[in-house]
PDB file of all heavy atoms in Angstrom:
ATOM      1  N   LEU A 120      86.180  89.309  96.077  1.00 85.00           N
ATOM      2  CA  LEU A 120      86.915  90.119  97.127  1.00 85.00           C
ATOM      3  C   LEU A 120      85.897  91.195  97.438  1.00 85.00           C
ATOM      4  O   LEU A 120      85.714  92.109  96.694  1.00 85.00           O
ATOM      5  CB  LEU A 120      88.138  90.713  96.428  1.00 85.00           C
ATOM      6  CG  LEU A 120      88.980  91.556  97.391  1.00 85.00           C
ATOM      7  CD1 LEU A 120      89.637  90.686  98.522  1.00 85.00           C
ATOM      8  CD2 LEU A 120      90.114  92.171  96.505  1.00 85.00           C
ATOM      9  N   ILE A 121      85.288  91.137  98.667  1.00 81.00           N
ATOM     10  CA  ILE A 121      84.321  92.034  99.115  1.00 81.00           C
ATOM     11  C   ILE A 121      84.871  93.451  99.440  1.00 81.00           C
ATOM     12  O   ILE A 121      84.452  94.441  98.940  1.00 81.00           O
ATOM     13  CB  ILE A 121      83.570  91.489 100.310  1.00 81.00           C
ATOM     14  CG1 ILE A 121      82.880  90.124 100.026  1.00 81.00           C
ATOM     15  CG2 ILE A 121      82.463  92.552 100.863  1.00 81.00           C
ATOM     16  CD1 ILE A 121      81.951  90.222  98.860  1.00 81.00           C
ATOM     17  N   GLU A 122      85.941  93.333 100.148  1.00 75.00           N
ATOM     18  CA  GLU A 122      86.557  94.610 100.689  1.00 75.00           C
ATOM     19  C   GLU A 122      87.897  94.331 101.231  1.00 75.00           C
ATOM     20  O   GLU A 122      88.087  93.407 101.998  1.00 75.00           O
ATOM     21  CB  GLU A 122      85.643  95.296 101.739  1.00 75.00           C
ATOM     22  CG  GLU A 122      86.075  96.691 102.151  1.00 75.00           C
ATOM     23  CD  GLU A 122      85.032  97.262 103.077  1.00 75.00           C
ATOM     24  OE1 GLU A 122      85.067  96.853 104.363  1.00 75.00           O
ATOM     25  OE2 GLU A 122      84.170  97.955 102.753  1.00 75.00           O
ATOM     26  N   ALA A 123      88.888  95.001 100.750  1.00 73.00           N
ATOM     27  CA  ALA A 123      90.255  94.667 101.217  1.00 73.00           C
ATOM     28  C   ALA A 123      91.217  95.944 101.269  1.00 73.00           C
ATOM     29  O   ALA A 123      91.108  96.619 100.315  1.00 73.00           O
ATOM     30  CB  ALA A 123      90.859  93.623 100.403  1.00 73.00           C
ATOM     31  N   LEU A 124      91.887  96.076 102.377  1.00 71.00           N
ATOM     32  CA  LEU A 124      92.967  97.049 102.407  1.00 71.00           C
ATOM     33  C   LEU A 124      93.964  96.658 101.371  1.00 71.00           C
ATOM     34  O   LEU A 124      94.211  95.549 101.079  1.00 71.00           O
ATOM     35  CB  LEU A 124      93.470  97.082 103.794  1.00 71.00           C
ATOM     36  CG  LEU A 124      92.613  97.609 104.950  1.00 71.00           C
ATOM     37  CD1 LEU A 124      93.228  97.236 106.340  1.00 71.00           C
ATOM     38  CD2 LEU A 124      92.312  99.072 104.798  1.00 71.00           C
ATOM     39  N   ASP A 125      94.565  97.713 100.775  1.00 69.00           N
ATOM     40  CA  ASP A 125      95.591  97.389  99.748  1.00 69.00           C
ATOM     41  C   ASP A 125      96.819  96.683 100.392  1.00 69.00           C
ATOM     42  O   ASP A 125      97.471  95.996  99.702  1.00 69.00           O
ATOM     43  CB  ASP A 125      96.140  98.763  99.116  1.00 69.00           C
ATOM     44  CG  ASP A 125      96.721  98.535  97.842  1.00 69.00           C
ATOM     45  OD1 ASP A 125      96.551  97.556  97.243  1.00 69.00           O
ATOM     46  OD2 ASP A 125      97.289  99.560  97.276  1.00 69.00           O
ATOM     47  N   HIS A 126      96.964  96.880 101.759  1.00 70.00           N
ATOM     48  CA  HIS A 126      98.179  96.132 102.357  1.00 70.00           C
ATOM     49  C   HIS A 126      97.620  95.044 103.146  1.00 70.00           C
ATOM     50  O   HIS A 126      98.398  94.464 103.899  1.00 70.00           O
ATOM     51  CB  HIS A 126      98.844  97.206 103.220  1.00 70.00           C
ATOM     52  CG  HIS A 126      98.090  97.728 104.392  1.00 70.00           C
ATOM     53  ND1 HIS A 126      97.176  98.813 104.148  1.00 70.00           N
ATOM     54  CD2 HIS A 126      97.897  97.359 105.621  1.00 70.00           C
ATOM     55  CE1 HIS A 126      96.617  99.048 105.363  1.00 70.00           C
ATOM     56  NE2 HIS A 126      97.021  98.167 106.304  1.00 70.00           N
ATOM     57  N   ALA A 127      96.377  94.539 102.851  1.00 69.00           N
ATOM     58  CA  ALA A 127      95.981  93.257 103.638  1.00 69.00           C
ATOM     59  C   ALA A 127      96.505  92.103 102.905  1.00 69.00           C
ATOM     60  O   ALA A 127      96.105  91.670 101.864  1.00 69.00           O
ATOM     61  CB  ALA A 127      94.436  93.262 103.516  1.00 69.00           C
ATOM     62  N   GLU A 128      97.606  91.600 103.430  1.00 72.00           N
ATOM     63  CA  GLU A 128      98.512  90.656 102.638  1.00 72.00           C
ATOM     64  C   GLU A 128      97.750  89.424 102.268  1.00 72.00           C
ATOM     65  O   GLU A 128      97.853  89.045 101.041  1.00 72.00           O
ATOM     66  CB  GLU A 128      99.720  90.239 103.564  1.00 72.00           C
ATOM     67  CG  GLU A 128     100.611  89.308 102.857  1.00 72.00           C
ATOM     68  CD  GLU A 128     101.819  88.920 103.652  1.00 72.00           C
ATOM     69  OE1 GLU A 128     102.277  89.813 104.483  1.00 72.00           O
ATOM     70  OE2 GLU A 128     102.577  87.978 103.320  1.00 72.00           O
ATOM     71  N   ALA A 129      97.030  88.733 103.091  1.00 76.00           N
ATOM     72  CA  ALA A 129      96.393  87.550 102.680  1.00 76.00           C
ATOM     73  C   ALA A 129      95.341  87.743 101.698  1.00 76.00           C
ATOM     74  O   ALA A 129      95.258  86.929 100.648  1.00 76.00           O
ATOM     75  CB  ALA A 129      95.808  86.864 103.931  1.00 76.00           C
ATOM     76  N   ALA A 130      94.378  88.660 101.829  1.00 81.00           N
ATOM     77  CA  ALA A 130      93.321  88.848 100.910  1.00 81.00           C
ATOM     78  C   ALA A 130      93.834  89.350  99.524  1.00 81.00           C
ATOM     79  O   ALA A 130      93.415  88.900  98.517  1.00 81.00           O
ATOM     80  CB  ALA A 130      92.306  89.967 101.430  1.00 81.00           C
ATOM     81  N   MET A 131      94.716  90.279  99.632  1.00 83.00           N
ATOM     82  CA  MET A 131      95.330  90.734  98.318  1.00 83.00           C
ATOM     83  C   MET A 131      96.152  89.714  97.650  1.00 83.00           C
ATOM     84  O   MET A 131      96.211  89.675  96.341  1.00 83.00           O
ATOM     85  CB  MET A 131      96.078  92.049  98.543  1.00 83.00           C
ATOM     86  CG  MET A 131      95.257  93.214  99.035  1.00 83.00           C
ATOM     87  SD  MET A 131      93.858  93.642  97.784  1.00 83.00           S
ATOM     88  CE  MET A 131      94.917  94.321  96.449  1.00 83.00           C
ATOM     89  N   HIS A 132      96.878  88.895  98.402  1.00 84.00           N
ATOM     90  CA  HIS A 132      97.650  87.883  97.760  1.00 84.00           C
ATOM     91  C   HIS A 132      96.876  86.808  97.041  1.00 84.00           C
ATOM     92  O   HIS A 132      97.047  86.456  95.910  1.00 84.00           O
ATOM     93  CB  HIS A 132      98.625  87.185  98.835  1.00 84.00           C
ATOM     94  CG  HIS A 132      99.580  86.232  98.211  1.00 84.00           C
ATOM     95  ND1 HIS A 132     100.657  86.658  97.502  1.00 84.00           N
ATOM     96  CD2 HIS A 132      99.675  84.906  98.226  1.00 84.00           C
ATOM     97  CE1 HIS A 132     101.290  85.585  96.981  1.00 84.00           C
ATOM     98  NE2 HIS A 132     100.657  84.490  97.529  1.00 84.00           N
ATOM     99  N   THR A 133      95.738  86.486  97.778  1.00 87.00           N
ATOM    100  CA  THR A 133      94.711  85.547  97.130  1.00 87.00           C
ATOM    101  C   THR A 133      94.137  86.093  95.849  1.00 87.00           C
ATOM    102  O   THR A 133      94.091  85.492  94.846  1.00 87.00           O
ATOM    103  CB  THR A 133      93.557  85.293  98.164  1.00 87.00           C
ATOM    104  OG1 THR A 133      94.064  84.759  99.383  1.00 87.00           O
ATOM    105  CG2 THR A 133      92.629  84.223  97.562  1.00 87.00           C
ATOM    106  N   ALA A 134      93.860  87.464  95.872  1.00 87.00           N
ATOM    107  CA  ALA A 134      93.216  88.145  94.671  1.00 87.00           C
ATOM    108  C   ALA A 134      94.213  88.135  93.505  1.00 87.00           C
ATOM    109  O   ALA A 134      93.883  87.811  92.411  1.00 87.00           O
ATOM    110  CB  ALA A 134      92.877  89.483  95.053  1.00 87.00           C
ATOM    111  N   VAL A 135      95.452  88.507  93.839  1.00 85.00           N
ATOM    112  CA  VAL A 135      96.484  88.493  92.788  1.00 85.00           C
ATOM    113  C   VAL A 135      96.845  87.166  92.243  1.00 85.00           C
ATOM    114  O   VAL A 135      96.920  87.007  90.940  1.00 85.00           O
ATOM    115  CB  VAL A 135      97.768  89.329  93.312  1.00 85.00           C
ATOM    116  CG1 VAL A 135      98.953  89.104  92.231  1.00 85.00           C
ATOM    117  CG2 VAL A 135      97.521  90.662  93.526  1.00 85.00           C
ATOM    118  N   VAL A 136      96.903  86.126  93.065  1.00 88.00           N
ATOM    119  CA  VAL A 136      97.123  84.759  92.593  1.00 88.00           C
ATOM    120  C   VAL A 136      96.001  84.363  91.691  1.00 88.00           C
ATOM    121  O   VAL A 136      96.168  83.706  90.670  1.00 88.00           O
ATOM    122  CB  VAL A 136      97.389  83.806  93.800  1.00 88.00           C
ATOM    123  CG1 VAL A 136      97.490  82.402  93.305  1.00 88.00           C
ATOM    124  CG2 VAL A 136      98.779  84.157  94.460  1.00 88.00           C
ATOM    125  N   ALA A 137      94.767  84.621  92.175  1.00 89.00           N
ATOM    126  CA  ALA A 137      93.610  84.255  91.436  1.00 89.00           C
ATOM    127  C   ALA A 137      93.683  84.798  89.944  1.00 89.00           C
ATOM    128  O   ALA A 137      93.422  84.076  88.986  1.00 89.00           O
ATOM    129  CB  ALA A 137      92.295  84.621  92.201  1.00 89.00           C
ATOM    130  N   ALA A 138      94.041  86.096  89.866  1.00 86.00           N
ATOM    131  CA  ALA A 138      94.054  86.789  88.591  1.00 86.00           C
ATOM    132  C   ALA A 138      95.162  86.109  87.836  1.00 86.00           C
ATOM    133  O   ALA A 138      95.014  85.913  86.691  1.00 86.00           O
ATOM    134  CB  ALA A 138      94.330  88.227  88.815  1.00 86.00           C
ATOM    135  N   ASP A 139      96.254  85.816  88.447  1.00 88.00           N
ATOM    136  CA  ASP A 139      97.476  85.234  87.706  1.00 88.00           C
ATOM    137  C   ASP A 139      97.073  83.800  87.198  1.00 88.00           C
ATOM    138  O   ASP A 139      97.598  83.426  86.212  1.00 88.00           O
ATOM    139  CB  ASP A 139      98.657  85.168  88.664  1.00 88.00           C
ATOM    140  CG  ASP A 139      99.290  86.506  88.840  1.00 88.00           C
ATOM    141  OD1 ASP A 139      98.930  87.470  88.222  1.00 88.00           O
ATOM    142  OD2 ASP A 139     100.084  86.610  89.792  1.00 88.00           O
ATOM    143  N   LEU A 140      96.206  83.169  87.940  1.00 90.00           N
ATOM    144  CA  LEU A 140      95.741  81.835  87.488  1.00 90.00           C
ATOM    145  C   LEU A 140      94.515  81.834  86.495  1.00 90.00           C
ATOM    146  O   LEU A 140      93.920  80.877  86.219  1.00 90.00           O
ATOM    147  CB  LEU A 140      95.403  81.000  88.689  1.00 90.00           C
ATOM    148  CG  LEU A 140      96.526  80.575  89.645  1.00 90.00           C
ATOM    149  CD1 LEU A 140      96.015  79.867  90.864  1.00 90.00           C
ATOM    150  CD2 LEU A 140      97.513  79.580  88.825  1.00 90.00           C
ATOM    151  N   SER A 141      94.239  83.010  86.082  1.00 90.00           N
ATOM    152  CA  SER A 141      93.050  83.264  85.208  1.00 90.00           C
ATOM    153  C   SER A 141      91.743  82.959  85.800  1.00 90.00           C
ATOM    154  O   SER A 141      90.839  82.486  85.080  1.00 90.00           O
ATOM    155  CB  SER A 141      93.231  82.578  83.879  1.00 90.00           C
ATOM    156  OG  SER A 141      94.471  83.087  83.277  1.00 90.00           O
ATOM    157  N   ARG A 142      91.672  82.996  87.211  1.00 90.00           N
ATOM    158  CA  ARG A 142      90.323  82.707  87.820  1.00 90.00           C
ATOM    159  C   ARG A 142      89.708  84.103  87.838  1.00 90.00           C
ATOM    160  O   ARG A 142      90.328  85.136  88.055  1.00 90.00           O
ATOM    161  CB  ARG A 142      90.538  82.386  89.320  1.00 90.00           C
ATOM    162  CG  ARG A 142      91.295  80.995  89.451  1.00 90.00           C
ATOM    163  CD  ARG A 142      90.516  79.843  88.874  1.00 90.00           C
ATOM    164  NE  ARG A 142      91.110  78.616  89.274  1.00 90.00           N
ATOM    165  CZ  ARG A 142      91.928  77.864  88.597  1.00 90.00           C
ATOM    166  NH1 ARG A 142      92.420  78.366  87.413  1.00 90.00           N
ATOM    167  NH2 ARG A 142      92.449  76.734  89.086  1.00 90.00           N
ATOM    168  N   PRO A 143      88.340  84.129  87.663  1.00 90.00           N
ATOM    169  CA  PRO A 143      87.672  85.480  87.607  1.00 90.00           C
ATOM    170  C   PRO A 143      87.895  86.125  89.085  1.00 90.00           C
ATOM    171  O   PRO A 143      87.661  85.345  90.124  1.00 90.00           O
ATOM    172  CB  PRO A 143      86.209  85.178  87.434  1.00 90.00           C
ATOM    173  CG  PRO A 143      86.284  83.739  86.680  1.00 90.00           C
ATOM    174  CD  PRO A 143      87.470  83.107  87.273  1.00 90.00           C
ATOM    175  N   LEU A 144      88.209  87.316  89.131  1.00 90.00           N
ATOM    176  CA  LEU A 144      88.310  88.012  90.450  1.00 90.00           C
ATOM    177  C   LEU A 144      87.135  89.005  90.380  1.00 90.00           C
ATOM    178  O   LEU A 144      87.130  90.047  89.551  1.00 90.00           O
ATOM    179  CB  LEU A 144      89.660  88.696  90.451  1.00 90.00           C
ATOM    180  CG  LEU A 144      89.868  89.594  91.689  1.00 90.00           C
ATOM    181  CD1 LEU A 144      89.705  88.880  92.995  1.00 90.00           C
ATOM    182  CD2 LEU A 144      91.262  90.238  91.622  1.00 90.00           C
ATOM    183  N   LEU A 145      86.311  88.887  91.209  1.00 91.00           N
ATOM    184  CA  LEU A 145      85.003  89.802  91.287  1.00 91.00           C
ATOM    185  C   LEU A 145      85.063  90.545  92.442  1.00 91.00           C
ATOM    186  O   LEU A 145      85.420  90.166  93.585  1.00 91.00           O
ATOM    187  CB  LEU A 145      83.777  88.938  91.316  1.00 91.00           C
ATOM    188  CG  LEU A 145      83.726  87.718  90.237  1.00 91.00           C
ATOM    189  CD1 LEU A 145      82.485  86.943  90.493  1.00 91.00           C
ATOM    190  CD2 LEU A 145      83.807  88.272  88.829  1.00 91.00           C
ATOM    191  N   THR A 146      84.637  91.834  92.356  1.00 88.00           N
ATOM    192  CA  THR A 146      84.596  92.705  93.487  1.00 88.00           C
ATOM    193  C   THR A 146      83.344  93.723  93.319  1.00 88.00           C
ATOM    194  O   THR A 146      83.043  94.139  92.219  1.00 88.00           O
ATOM    195  CB  THR A 146      85.811  93.418  93.753  1.00 88.00           C
ATOM    196  OG1 THR A 146      85.786  94.145  94.966  1.00 88.00           O
ATOM    197  CG2 THR A 146      86.125  94.475  92.640  1.00 88.00           C
ATOM    198  N   PRO A 147      82.663  94.044  94.348  1.00 85.00           N
ATOM    199  CA  PRO A 147      81.595  94.996  94.305  1.00 85.00           C
ATOM    200  C   PRO A 147      82.139  96.431  94.120  1.00 85.00           C
ATOM    201  O   PRO A 147      83.367  96.638  94.250  1.00 85.00           O
ATOM    202  CB  PRO A 147      80.811  94.859  95.693  1.00 85.00           C
ATOM    203  CG  PRO A 147      81.942  94.391  96.562  1.00 85.00           C
ATOM    204  CD  PRO A 147      82.836  93.528  95.693  1.00 85.00           C
ATOM    205  N   PRO A 148      81.299  97.361  93.765  1.00 80.00           N
ATOM    206  CA  PRO A 148      81.900  98.773  93.618  1.00 80.00           C
ATOM    207  C   PRO A 148      82.548  99.081  94.946  1.00 80.00           C
ATOM    208  O   PRO A 148      82.114  98.939  95.993  1.00 80.00           O
ATOM    209  CB  PRO A 148      80.564  99.592  93.418  1.00 80.00           C
ATOM    210  CG  PRO A 148      79.551  98.639  92.895  1.00 80.00           C
ATOM    211  CD  PRO A 148      79.928  97.373  93.554  1.00 80.00           C
ATOM    212  N   ALA A 149      83.747  99.763  94.642  1.00 70.00           N
ATOM    213  CA  ALA A 149      84.563 100.183  95.797  1.00 70.00           C
ATOM    214  C   ALA A 149      83.951 101.397  96.534  1.00 70.00           C
ATOM    215  O   ALA A 149      83.491 102.251  95.876  1.00 70.00           O
ATOM    216  CB  ALA A 149      85.990 100.529  95.326  1.00 70.00           C
ATOM    217  N   ALA A 150      83.878 101.201  97.789  1.00 69.00           N
ATOM    218  CA  ALA A 150      83.270 102.298  98.625  1.00 69.00           C
ATOM    219  C   ALA A 150      84.419 103.448  98.778  1.00 69.00           C
ATOM    220  O   ALA A 150      85.553 103.150  98.593  1.00 69.00           O
ATOM    221  CB  ALA A 150      82.941 101.775 100.033  1.00 69.00           C
ATOM    222  N   GLU A 151      83.912 104.597  99.063  1.00 72.00           N
ATOM    223  CA  GLU A 151      84.937 105.632  99.374  1.00 72.00           C
ATOM    224  C   GLU A 151      85.390 105.602 100.768  1.00 72.00           C
ATOM    225  O   GLU A 151      85.132 106.392 101.534  1.00 72.00           O
ATOM    226  CB  GLU A 151      84.225 106.945  99.242  1.00 72.00           C
ATOM    227  CG  GLU A 151      83.685 107.231  97.679  1.00 72.00           C
ATOM    228  CD  GLU A 151      84.852 107.332  96.756  1.00 72.00           C
ATOM    229  OE1 GLU A 151      85.926 107.920  97.123  1.00 72.00           O
ATOM    230  OE2 GLU A 151      84.751 106.900  95.590  1.00 72.00           O
ATOM    231  N   ASP A 152      86.175 104.460 101.010  1.00 66.00           N
ATOM    232  CA  ASP A 152      86.692 104.097 102.310  1.00 66.00           C
ATOM    233  C   ASP A 152      87.993 103.467 102.227  1.00 66.00           C
ATOM    234  O   ASP A 152      88.128 102.666 101.264  1.00 66.00           O
ATOM    235  CB  ASP A 152      85.616 103.194 102.998  1.00 66.00           C
ATOM    236  CG  ASP A 152      85.870 102.851 104.430  1.00 66.00           C
ATOM    237  OD1 ASP A 152      86.986 102.742 104.891  1.00 66.00           O
ATOM    238  OD2 ASP A 152      84.945 102.691 105.156  1.00 66.00           O
ATOM    239  N   ILE A 153      88.838 103.641 103.121  1.00 66.00           N
ATOM    240  CA  ILE A 153      90.196 103.148 103.017  1.00 66.00           C
ATOM    241  C   ILE A 153      90.100 101.561 103.128  1.00 66.00           C
ATOM    242  O   ILE A 153      91.035 100.858 102.571  1.00 66.00           O
ATOM    243  CB  ILE A 153      91.161 103.633 104.107  1.00 66.00           C
ATOM    244  CG1 ILE A 153      92.564 103.378 103.786  1.00 66.00           C
ATOM    245  CG2 ILE A 153      90.707 103.221 105.498  1.00 66.00           C
ATOM    246  CD1 ILE A 153      93.577 104.121 104.636  1.00 66.00           C
ATOM    247  N   ARG A 154      89.130 101.026 103.718  1.00 68.00           N
ATOM    248  CA  ARG A 154      88.952  99.577 103.835  1.00 68.00           C
ATOM    249  C   ARG A 154      88.744  98.968 102.558  1.00 68.00           C
ATOM    250  O   ARG A 154      88.825  97.741 102.424  1.00 68.00           O
ATOM    251  CB  ARG A 154      87.926  99.143 104.817  1.00 68.00           C
ATOM    252  CG  ARG A 154      88.161  99.520 106.247  1.00 68.00           C
ATOM    253  CD  ARG A 154      87.027  99.269 107.141  1.00 68.00           C
ATOM    254  NE  ARG A 154      85.914 100.111 106.701  1.00 68.00           N
ATOM    255  CZ  ARG A 154      84.776 100.246 107.349  1.00 68.00           C
ATOM    256  NH1 ARG A 154      84.629  99.704 108.515  1.00 68.00           N
ATOM    257  NH2 ARG A 154      83.914 101.101 106.945  1.00 68.00           N
ATOM    258  N   ALA A 155      88.524  99.672 101.399  1.00 73.00           N
ATOM    259  CA  ALA A 155      88.267  99.141 100.113  1.00 73.00           C
ATOM    260  C   ALA A 155      89.277  99.583  99.109  1.00 73.00           C
ATOM    261  O   ALA A 155      89.089  99.387  97.961  1.00 73.00           O
ATOM    262  CB  ALA A 155      86.839  99.461  99.568  1.00 73.00           C
ATOM    263  N   ASP A 156      90.407 100.087  99.583  1.00 78.00           N
ATOM    264  CA  ASP A 156      91.323 100.608  98.650  1.00 78.00           C
ATOM    265  C   ASP A 156      91.975  99.565  97.837  1.00 78.00           C
ATOM    266  O   ASP A 156      92.476  99.655  96.618  1.00 78.00           O
ATOM    267  CB  ASP A 156      92.461 101.552  99.306  1.00 78.00           C
ATOM    268  CG  ASP A 156      93.279 100.862 100.341  1.00 78.00           C
ATOM    269  OD1 ASP A 156      92.996  99.713 100.769  1.00 78.00           O
ATOM    270  OD2 ASP A 156      94.255 101.541 100.839  1.00 78.00           O
ATOM    271  N   GLY A 157      92.192  98.405  98.353  1.00 80.00           N
ATOM    272  CA  GLY A 157      92.773  97.301  97.576  1.00 80.00           C
ATOM    273  C   GLY A 157      91.879  96.841  96.476  1.00 80.00           C
ATOM    274  O   GLY A 157      92.229  96.665  95.272  1.00 80.00           O
ATOM    275  N   SER A 158      90.559  96.791  96.794  1.00 82.00           N
ATOM    276  CA  SER A 158      89.511  96.358  95.742  1.00 82.00           C
ATOM    277  C   SER A 158      89.507  97.491  94.693  1.00 82.00           C
ATOM    278  O   SER A 158      89.469  97.191  93.461  1.00 82.00           O
ATOM    279  CB  SER A 158      88.134  96.288  96.396  1.00 82.00           C
ATOM    280  OG  SER A 158      88.179  95.370  97.460  1.00 82.00           O
ATOM    281  N   ALA A 159      89.620  98.719  95.098  1.00 82.00           N
ATOM    282  CA  ALA A 159      89.552  99.841  94.163  1.00 82.00           C
ATOM    283  C   ALA A 159      90.746  99.750  93.158  1.00 82.00           C
ATOM    284  O   ALA A 159      90.636 100.034  91.909  1.00 82.00           O
ATOM    285  CB  ALA A 159      89.511 101.251  94.935  1.00 82.00           C
ATOM    286  N   ARG A 160      91.888  99.469  93.775  1.00 83.00           N
ATOM    287  CA  ARG A 160      93.183  99.430  92.983  1.00 83.00           C
ATOM    288  C   ARG A 160      92.971  98.331  92.002  1.00 83.00           C
ATOM    289  O   ARG A 160      93.381  98.418  90.801  1.00 83.00           O
ATOM    290  CB  ARG A 160      94.356  99.127  93.759  1.00 83.00           C
ATOM    291  CG  ARG A 160      95.641  99.111  92.943  1.00 83.00           C
ATOM    292  CD  ARG A 160      96.845  99.017  93.759  1.00 83.00           C
ATOM    293  NE  ARG A 160      96.964  97.866  94.605  1.00 83.00           N
ATOM    294  CZ  ARG A 160      97.343  96.716  94.271  1.00 83.00           C
ATOM    295  NH1 ARG A 160      97.618  96.413  93.061  1.00 83.00           N
ATOM    296  NH2 ARG A 160      97.334  95.644  95.181  1.00 83.00           N
ATOM    297  N   LEU A 161      92.527  97.161  92.321  1.00 85.00           N
ATOM    298  CA  LEU A 161      92.427  96.010  91.387  1.00 85.00           C
ATOM    299  C   LEU A 161      91.325  96.335  90.267  1.00 85.00           C
ATOM    300  O   LEU A 161      91.522  95.931  89.210  1.00 85.00           O
ATOM    301  CB  LEU A 161      91.887  94.728  92.222  1.00 85.00           C
ATOM    302  CG  LEU A 161      93.059  94.159  93.115  1.00 85.00           C
ATOM    303  CD1 LEU A 161      92.486  93.091  93.982  1.00 85.00           C
ATOM    304  CD2 LEU A 161      94.173  93.691  92.250  1.00 85.00           C
ATOM    305  N   LEU A 162      90.220  97.074  90.573  1.00 86.00           N
ATOM    306  CA  LEU A 162      89.317  97.495  89.670  1.00 86.00           C
ATOM    307  C   LEU A 162      90.050  98.470  88.674  1.00 86.00           C
ATOM    308  O   LEU A 162      89.831  98.361  87.359  1.00 86.00           O
ATOM    309  CB  LEU A 162      88.042  98.139  90.282  1.00 86.00           C
ATOM    310  CG  LEU A 162      87.093  97.168  90.903  1.00 86.00           C
ATOM    311  CD1 LEU A 162      86.087  97.975  91.688  1.00 86.00           C
ATOM    312  CD2 LEU A 162      86.412  96.359  89.799  1.00 86.00           C
ATOM    313  N   ALA A 163      90.797  99.416  89.187  1.00 87.00           N
ATOM    314  CA  ALA A 163      91.420 100.418  88.322  1.00 87.00           C
ATOM    315  C   ALA A 163      92.430  99.828  87.437  1.00 87.00           C
ATOM    316  O   ALA A 163      92.644 100.215  86.313  1.00 87.00           O
ATOM    317  CB  ALA A 163      92.115 101.487  89.234  1.00 87.00           C
ATOM    318  N   GLU A 164      93.119  98.785  87.887  1.00 88.00           N
ATOM    319  CA  GLU A 164      94.136  98.075  87.124  1.00 88.00           C
ATOM    320  C   GLU A 164      93.446  97.013  86.160  1.00 88.00           C
ATOM    321  O   GLU A 164      94.163  96.328  85.380  1.00 88.00           O
ATOM    322  CB  GLU A 164      95.101  97.302  88.012  1.00 88.00           C
ATOM    323  CG  GLU A 164      95.989  98.133  88.809  1.00 88.00           C
ATOM    324  CD  GLU A 164      96.806  97.441  89.791  1.00 88.00           C
ATOM    325  OE1 GLU A 164      96.702  96.243  89.970  1.00 88.00           O
ATOM    326  OE2 GLU A 164      97.692  98.123  90.462  1.00 88.00           O
ATOM    327  N   GLN A 165      92.210  96.974  86.194  1.00 89.00           N
ATOM    328  CA  GLN A 165      91.390  95.877  85.365  1.00 89.00           C
ATOM    329  C   GLN A 165      91.857  94.571  85.642  1.00 89.00           C
ATOM    330  O   GLN A 165      91.834  93.650  84.826  1.00 89.00           O
ATOM    331  CB  GLN A 165      91.456  96.326  83.945  1.00 89.00           C
ATOM    332  CG  GLN A 165      90.940  97.634  83.567  1.00 89.00           C
ATOM    333  CD  GLN A 165      91.032  97.987  82.086  1.00 89.00           C
ATOM    334  OE1 GLN A 165      91.674  97.464  81.421  1.00 89.00           O
ATOM    335  NE2 GLN A 165      90.163  98.966  81.757  1.00 89.00           N
TER     336      GLN A 165
END
């Protein structure tokens, strides 16, 4: 997941489903930008 808005339904749904299926979910360091708040949340939630 390169960069995703927290409310970007398709990207975030894919990320959550991948984590639920025990697939590795990888993301680069979250930028200080709203466009990466979804990625930042997933990193914060581990």
Side-chain angles (χ1 to χ4, degrees):
L120 184 65
I121 301 301
E122 190 173 79
L124 293 167
D125 203 14
H126 63 276
E128 186 173 338
M131 292 303 290
H132 188 69
T133 303
V135 169
V136 170
D139 290 346
L140 291 172
S141 300
R142 301 293 192 266
L144 175 57
L145 313 175
T146 189
E151 296 295 324
D152 188 326
I153 193 166
R154 291 176 296 192
D156 62 351
S158 305
R160 181 175 60 82
L161 292 170
L162 282 168
E164 294 173 354
Q165 298 181 342

